[in-house]
Structure formats: structure tokens, C-alpha cells
Amino acid sequence: FMCFFVNNQYRILVEKTRTGADVLGATFENQLLRIGRVIAILDTWNRPKYLTRIWTIFEQSCAIRMDIPVTMILPPAASSSLLHELQRGTEGIVRVQRALTQVDCKRARARSKEDEQLVKDYVGSKTGFDRVDQQVTAFMIAFIGSVVEDHMKQGVSLMKNAMVGLTQGSCSSSSTARSFFSW
């Protein structure tokens, strides 16, 4: 389920055939209950656009309120950027932590000011912006943990292969492992 494929946002929001927040809200919650999980695709780990759009904040709010599991993901290049930042040591880790403190769902916007206000009123009264900020931050921390975990698993596998290569007289696998563990 991708809400922009299932919910006809153009008809609802641009043609204004019905009130956007009301119709999309009911449709999204029904679909969310049916599917039972959310995967949020972010563009970057540092101030993702996803968190600047009130409709995606609405999605997070519904998932949090309904206790639906949320997984945040990034494209490979953005995940690599995150890992590179963490490899910088304390300075990089602090930069990632600082980025996580910038989650502020109240600042999210919509094309339609009317929809923006309706959604903000809903989020504020049903879930609360502080709770959404806390949970979104927790979801992002879980994602960061998964990036580090995947990196460690790959590194251990490379190291095991390098050890096998060394016992068999191969140098190429040990140089691959050394470059992987350069952090």
C-alpha cells in the first residue's frame, strides 16, 4: 500500500471534490489497519523532507496512535552517508544525534492551508506533537541501529572470509577486510 497510489489525492485535494483531511484520514486509517505496518521512505538522515510534510506526519500520528509498527528506511546512498558520518567517530555521532534533536512535527506544512490546519488539529488532539516527535525519533534511532548492525554483520563475514583466505594463502580477501574496517 502506498497512499499516493490508493488515495486519489489529486481529486480530493486539487479538484476539491471532498474535504481532503476527512476523506484521506478515514481511507488511510482503514488501510493501515488492514496492512498492519508502515514503512516510511526518507530521503536523508539529516532533516528528511518526509518530516516536513504534514500528511506524512499524519501517517506517523495514526500509526503511533493505533500502535502500528513503523520502520524508517533510506536509499542506499543516504544509508552510506549515515554510516560514513558515524565512522567519523565522536564528531560524526554528535552530528547524527544533533540531527535527531531537530525532529519537530509542528513545523510540517501542506499545500492547502485548510488541510494543514485540519491535520495539525487532529494530530495535536489525538496523538500530540510531542509524542509524535518522540516516536519518530525512536523510529529513526532504530533505523540507525539497523544500519550499524548490518555493517557489523558484513564486516564479520568479510573478516571470516579473510581469515579463511589467509589460511589458504590468499591476500586479496584480507585487503578487502582491512578496507571495510577502516573506521
Side-chain angles (χ1 to χ4, degrees), residues 81-157:
S81 166
L82 171 63
L83 191 56
H84 178 73
E85 193 64 34
L86 294 171
Q87 289 172 332
R88 294 178 60 217
T90 301
E91 181 182 327
I93 292 168
V94 168
R95 187 162 177 242
V96 172
Q97 289 171 328
R98 192 170 294 125
L100 292 172
T101 67
Q102 299 303 307
V103 174
D104 184 359
C105 297
K106 285 182 198 167
R107 295 187 312 196
R109 300 286 178 247
R111 184 179 309 175
S112 161
K113 289 297 179 190
E114 179 184 346
D115 278 353
E116 181 178 320
Q117 193 57 54
L118 284 170
V119 173
K120 284 184 175 184
D121 289 347
Y122 177 89
V123 171
S125 68
K126 298 286 186 184
T127 311
F129 284 100
D130 289 341
R131 183 174 175 209
V132 174
D133 288 348
Q134 290 168 356
Q135 284 298 125
V136 165
T137 301
F139 299 149
M140 292 178 73
I141 290 170
F143 173 75
I144 292 166
S146 73
V147 168
V148 172
E149 180 181 3
D150 289 347
H151 181 74
M152 293 301 290
K153 286 177 181 177
Q154 291 171 359
V156 168
S157 178

Side-chain angles (χ1 to χ4, degrees), residues 17-35:
T17 55
R18 297 194 250 171
T19 305
D22 298 336
V23 174
L24 284 177
T27 303
F28 181 75
E29 287 185 5
N30 288 335
Q31 295 296 338
L32 192 55
L33 280 172
R34 184 178 63 81
I35 295 165

Side-chain angles (χ1 to χ4, degrees), residues 5-49:
F5 287 130
V6 175
N7 299 334
N8 193 334
Q9 294 175 352
Y10 178 80
R11 284 220 170 92
I12 294 169
L13 298 175
V14 177
E15 292 181 357
K16 298 186 186 279
T17 55
R18 297 194 250 171
T19 305
D22 298 336
V23 174
L24 284 177
T27 303
F28 181 75
E29 287 185 5
N30 288 335
Q31 295 296 338
L32 192 55
L33 280 172
R34 184 178 63 81
I35 295 165
R37 66 183 292 184
V38 172
I39 298 176
I41 305 169
L42 308 182
D43 58 333
T44 181
W45 58 270
N46 190 7
R47 295 194 172 121
K49 286 182 178 61

